[in-house]
Amino acid sequence: MSERKNWSEIFYNEVQSLAQGIVQEAYDNSKTYGEATLYVRKIRQSAFGDVPDKVANASMRTLEIACELALSMIHEDERKIPINKED
C-alpha cells in the first residue's frame, strides 16, 4: 500500500501561493495599500454568483479563501509601517 499524501500541507502551500500571487498583482496595480485592498476585493467579487457545477463552486470558494488571506497579508504589511513622529 502506498503512503497517503499530506493533503493539509498541500492545500496550505497552494492557498498560500495563490494568496501571494494575488497580493503581488494587487501591489503591481496599486499605489497605496488602500488601492491594493480594493483591488483584491474586486477579484474576490468574482467568487460569488451562480455556478454551473460542483467543480466551479469549489474553485470559487478557494478563490474567496485565497482573497481573504491576501487581504490579511496586505493588512499585515500595512501594520508594519512605522509611525512618523516629529520631534
Side-chain angles (χ1 to χ4, degrees):
M1 181 163 39
S2 65
E3 225 176 286
R4 183 172 48 171
K5 292 182 180 182
N6 185 344
W7 288 105
S8 294
E9 185 177 332
I10 291 168
F11 272 83
Y12 177 95
N13 292 332
E14 287 298 318
V15 170
Q16 184 178 34
S17 176
L18 290 169
Q20 287 172 337
I22 292 168
V23 168
Q24 187 59 55
E25 183 178 327
Y27 285 170
D28 290 346
N29 290 286
S30 304
K31 293 180 182 176
T32 66
Y33 286 106
E35 286 180 7
T37 298
L38 291 175
Y39 190 91
V40 173
R41 287 183 180 157
K42 287 179 184 177
I43 293 172
R44 188 180 70 186
Q45 286 177 351
S46 65
F48 301 101
D50 293 332
V51 292
D53 57 44
K54 293 194 182 288
V55 174
N57 184 40
S59 173
M60 290 170 65
R61 289 170 56 196
T62 303
L63 175 60
E64 180 183 9
I65 291 165
C67 285
E68 289 298 324
L69 178 56
L71 288 170
S72 176
M73 293 165 78
I74 290 170
H75 292 164
E76 186 177 316
D77 286 347
E78 186 177 22
R79 285 189 293 272
K80 292 178 184 175
I81 297 173
I83 296 173
N84 293 328
K85 293 185 179 180
E86 293 184 27
D87 293 324

